[in-house]
Amino acid sequence: MMKYIPCLLISLIIGSQLFYGLALLLDPECGKRQFQLRIVDGVNAELNSTPWMVFLHNYLQFLCGGSLITREFVLTAAHCVMPIPKNLTARLGEYDWRREIDCKSEHTHTCAPKYEEYMVSRIYTHASYRSAGAYDIALLKLHKPVEYTDAIRPICLVTHNYDNQWYSIVNSAKEFNVTGWGATKTVPVSHILQTARLTQIDRGVCHDQHRFSVDHTHICAGNSNSFPCIGDSGSPLGMEVQLNGRNVYAQVGLVSRGDKSCNGVTVFTNILSFTEWITNTISYDGKYMS
């Protein structure tokens, strides 16, 4: 058994995972982005600031958001893919869906490469999923592995935490970031990727507002001005953290359910409650294909 030496950073690659101190990350190349950092009353995200964002569409009709977590898998909400779409496509490297090439402004030559399209070849929803109230999580297998670039890169997922440090960090976090193309005050689908900071709220508030069970498998967040809306489903809730000396952007939840009027707190699927399901499902897919 490896011993942990205080003040000494120890990293070990296990398969496709990076063991970084006490945090086991699903993909060792996660959380990197070129720039640092309608969601209602959100702001335009910086170009290439969230290279893990996935624009899910069916015959060019926008369905939901998602996050790239490995070279072959996208994480989203189960209700986004139930019933199963016939031609579900994951667009990576998207920012403004009205344009093929996205630039920082019309007067600059700082542009991102054209987006890339991947067909979804297999859909895994949680076996206990019945509605958005619980187990609202799904994994999408892409038809071929993704090549990482500055504009396309996975978000970090902490898949194991030996001393509950990660749980404590997330439970005590005051704010999270959410990003998506959902409805704004003026349009049903935002053409430019939006981002907003949300305050973590006691789960009891979500329970009282939405009238369904809210427990440790959920995260409750929102504020008086900014909150996810229709179309933001499946989009990642994340936070910037330092895990044993490394600054990473990690996903902690995904948009699951909110008020239909897009006003008030939102319920997110708590990723920390489903990391075992995520890793087991990815492992099962590998055995299924072999």
Side-chain angles (χ1 to χ4, degrees), residues 27 29-37 45-55 65-71 73-75 90-95 102 112-116 118 142 146-156 179-181 193-195 236 240 246 248-251:
D27 190 301
E29 298 184 66
C30 71
K32 301 175 184 177
R33 49 188 177 180
Q34 186 172 345
F35 301 106
Q36 299 301 316
L37 263 197
E46 288 288 331
L47 184 65
N48 286 352
S49 64
T50 53
W52 40 80
M53 284 301 299
V54 180
F55 183 96
S67 54
L68 185 69
I69 59 171
T70 72
R71 293 184 186 273
F73 282 92
V74 167
L75 187 65
R91 180 178 293 180
L92 309 182
E94 183 59 285
Y95 176 71
D102 295 319
K114 182 182 176 182
Y115 60 77
E116 296 185 18
Y118 291 81
L142 303 179
V146 173
E147 182 177 345
Y148 294 157
T149 67
D150 285 339
I152 300 174
R153 192 165 293 277
I155 197 168
C156 287
T179 314
W181 286 276
L193 186 64
Q194 300 288 290
T195 185
E240 195 99 34
R246 181 186 174 193
V248 300
Y249 187 86
Q251 182 171 359

Side-chain angles (χ1 to χ4, degrees), residues 26-188:
L26 186 61
D27 190 301
E29 298 184 66
C30 71
K32 301 175 184 177
R33 49 188 177 180
Q34 186 172 345
F35 301 106
Q36 299 301 316
L37 263 197
R38 171 175 126 185
I39 292 173
V40 175
D41 282 340
V43 296
N44 292 347
E46 288 288 331
L47 184 65
N48 286 352
S49 64
T50 53
W52 40 80
M53 284 301 299
V54 180
F55 183 96
L56 293 172
H57 66 89
N58 190 29
Y59 296 108
L60 299 181
Q61 180 179 356
F62 175 65
L63 294 178
C64 281
S67 54
L68 185 69
I69 59 171
T70 72
R71 293 184 186 273
E72 295 184 282
F73 282 92
V74 167
L75 187 65
T76 190
H79 78 261
C80 289
V81 292
M82 296 296 287
I84 297 175
K86 293 182 179 180
N87 191 49
L88 185 59
T89 305
R91 180 178 293 180
L92 309 182
E94 183 59 285
Y95 176 71
D96 183 342
W97 52 264
R98 300 175 306 174
R99 307 173 185 272
E100 285 197 352
I101 301 296
D102 295 319
C103 300
K104 292 193 72 174
S105 73
E106 295 181 358
H107 309 290
T108 181
H109 296 292
T110 305
C111 300
K114 182 182 176 182
Y115 60 77
E116 296 185 18
E117 300 266 46
Y118 291 81
M119 297 300 300
V120 174
S121 61
R122 192 169 295 113
I123 297 174
Y124 295 99
T125 57
H126 197 285
S128 297
Y129 170 76
R130 296 295 180 271
S131 70
Y135 302 98
D136 191 12
I137 188 169
L139 280 169
L140 313 180
K141 173 72 177 292
L142 303 179
H143 79 284
K144 65 177 181 179
V146 173
E147 182 177 345
Y148 294 157
T149 67
D150 285 339
I152 300 174
R153 192 165 293 277
I155 197 168
C156 287
L157 243 65
V158 178
T159 60
H160 201 76
N161 152 146
Y162 289 90
D163 61 355
N164 290 324
Q165 179 187 16
W166 180 231
Y167 291 95
S168 299
I169 291 173
V170 174
N171 287 334
S172 62
K174 294 183 178 180
E175 290 186 317
F176 301 113
N177 299 314
V178 65
T179 314
W181 286 276
T184 70
K185 286 182 176 179
T186 57
V187 294

Side-chain angles (χ1 to χ4, degrees), residues 205-226:
V205 175
C206 280
H207 173 78
D208 292 341
Q209 178 170 324
H210 298 292
R211 303 299 179 187
F212 66 86
S213 178
V214 176
D215 56 24
H216 69 280
T217 65
H218 303 97
I219 291 175
C220 185
N223 59 47
S224 59
N225 297 317
S226 302

